[in-house]
Amino acid sequence: MADKITAVKGMNDLLPDVTAQWRTIEESARDTLTHFGFGEVRTPVLEKTALFVRGVGEATDIVGKEMYTFEDGKAEGRAGTLVSLRPEGTAPAVRAAIEHNQLAQGALVRWFYLGPMFRRERQQRGRYRQFFQVGAEIYGAATPQADAELIDAAHAFLSRLDLGELTLEINSLGDANCRPRYVEALIAALKSHAADLCAECQRRLETNPLRVLDCKSAQCQAVTQSVPTIDGFLCEPCRDHFDRVRSLLDALAIPYVVNPRIVRGLDYYTRTVFEFVSRETGEGALGSQSTVCAGGRYDCLIESLGGPATPAVGFAAGLDRLALLAARNAKPAPGPDLFIVPMGESAIAQALQLAAALRRQGIWVDQDLRGGGLKSQMRRADKVGARFVLVLGDSELASGKASLKQMATGEARDVALDPEAIAAAM
Ligand code: ATP
Ligand code: MG
């Protein structure tokens, strides 16, 4: 036998035993977001690297070390263009909105996207190198009600799924006016404990100090427990915005906790940031990969990517993590409505015709394509979980009638060999 070629590490195959669950999640997302007025945007998987360098930030883990990047179109004597597999969906959506002139003065745009993202991370449960996100973005509204409605949309989507307990955590990161003072205070506090930080965070202290708050290592979390938090540093307008977002969430009866340590790993956020975190423990839980949905306001990104100054707010939810949580309580997938068991040459043709006619009526019909005896075909019907079985032999063909057996009860009744009659009897 030839050598097996395996998948690229961290890139998963999703087989039919889980894709049914995935489709439920995706359909819930599409349906919920459509009812909030979001239109779907589909952008390419490959973008110019410069988009993420500028849009996500050079000092982030994503751009610093996680992107799949290559030089496209390189030839003798000619440099190519650096392109990357998209690590996230916000910068590409903004790029598309600018490129297609969707952000004219006064525009209000609601977009959502759903698709694969790529980050070269260390693979573990809930963390993969190809993973899927559904994300939603609102462009053009600076108001607290935009933040509240976006969080409501995420909450409505997640509430439709059977995910166990989720907590909404929110924070404000301030803006260009008040955040620098906080960052200064944070750096000063972290510097006095620099020796206790992990090697990564000692570097972050220089390049991206806010990110130290987000480090998952125990030693860094111990340090950050005692450093100042941003809430005491917010300027009046940022504080007012945050207060209003919170009272709107109260009005919507969406429970939340304020967590002044949420910072998010991307550079573009201003003011509101939030995460939905799974509180489930035990078998099938997500461990430290417990954030299933995250987002916030990013009022400067659009302008920094060459668009008109436009306030924006968005979220992204990780479908892989949602699927892992949903799988904990998943019911077994239902089987076919009807299993036809043909015995003999003429019954085979008749079974195929009947099956085709019934499928046109929306009925799921299966049969054992390997043929075989009555017993083995019945075993197959049982194994696939068919609701009804119809055995077709020479005598049934001659009489134009067959017995339709309900598998759960064993009850059987005669039906005419006619698609309408069979459908009506099920
Ligand atoms: P984390 O802190 O877990 O690394 P993040 O801050 O990098 O998350 P975002 O970039 O905000 O995450 O992405 C939003 C969501 O996408 C995350 O909350 C998570 O559910 C999902 N996600 C991010 N990276 C991965 C990954 N490598 N594999 C699976 N899901 C992911
Ligand atoms: Mg990450």
Side-chain angles (χ1 to χ4, degrees), residues 15-232:
L15 303 188
D17 61 335
V18 299
T19 48
Q21 184 91 54
W22 274 74
R23 282 215 305 272
T24 305
I25 296 172
E26 290 163 0
E27 280 155 22
S28 301
R30 289 205 164 90
D31 189 64
T32 306
L33 293 172
T34 302
H35 284 85
F36 275 83
F38 291 87
E40 182 174 358
V41 58
R42 298 190 188 190
T43 63
V45 160
L46 207 57
E47 295 273 0
K48 291 179 185 157
T49 304
L51 174 66
F52 303 112
V53 171
R54 207 170 342 140
V56 177
E58 206 142 12
T60 58
D61 287 352
I62 293 179
V63 170
K65 56 182 192 197
E66 293 174 0
M67 287 207 294
Y68 288 91
T69 298
F70 65 95
E71 200 174 337
D72 187 34
K74 187 177 170 182
E76 262 308 299
R78 192 186 67 207
T81 306
L82 275 187
V83 293
S84 299
L85 290 175
R86 62 180 182 197
E88 58 100 52
T90 295
V94 165
R95 195 246 337 118
I98 297 170
E99 194 161 334
H100 300 282
N101 298 318
Q102 303 292 295
L103 302 173
Q105 190 63 41
L108 179 67
V109 176
R110 286 189 184 88
W111 275 2
F112 81 90
Y113 60 82
L114 195 162
M117 306 294 159
F118 304 84
R119 298 181 194 175
R120 206 168 186 296
E121 300 201 69
R122 194 166 70 78
Q123 167 179 241
Q124 46 196 303
R125 183 174 165 78
R127 188 178 299 288
Y128 312 108
R129 292 177 170 183
Q130 173 176 289
F131 61 100
F132 289 77
Q133 285 183 336
V134 59
E137 320 279 359
I138 302 175
Y139 307 135
T143 57
Q145 56 266 41
D147 309 38
E149 194 184 83
L150 182 91
I151 293 174
D152 188 27
H155 180 258
F157 157 53
L158 296 170
S159 301
R160 284 173 65 162
L161 309 171
D162 193 2
L163 303 174
E165 200 186 327
L166 291 183
T167 307
L168 168 62
E169 302 190 352
I170 62 171
N171 189 23
S172 173
L173 290 182
D175 61 10
N177 182 31
C178 54
R179 189 174 2 183
R181 273 198 313 123
Y182 171 62
V183 173
E184 239 172 69
L186 179 66
I187 292 174
L190 290 173
K191 279 216 165 126
S192 62
H193 299 282
D196 301 328
L197 296 172
C198 72
E200 187 79 15
C201 282
Q202 301 201 1
R203 221 176 8 257
R204 285 186 183 129
L205 197 45
E206 304 302 326
T207 57
N208 201 351
L210 277 178
R211 260 305 244 180
V212 176
L213 295 179
D214 200 34
C215 182
K216 287 171 181 85
S217 88
Q219 61 186 113
C220 296
Q221 292 194 353
V223 171
T224 55
Q225 282 313 309
S226 63
V227 300
T229 52
I230 193 162
D231 39 339

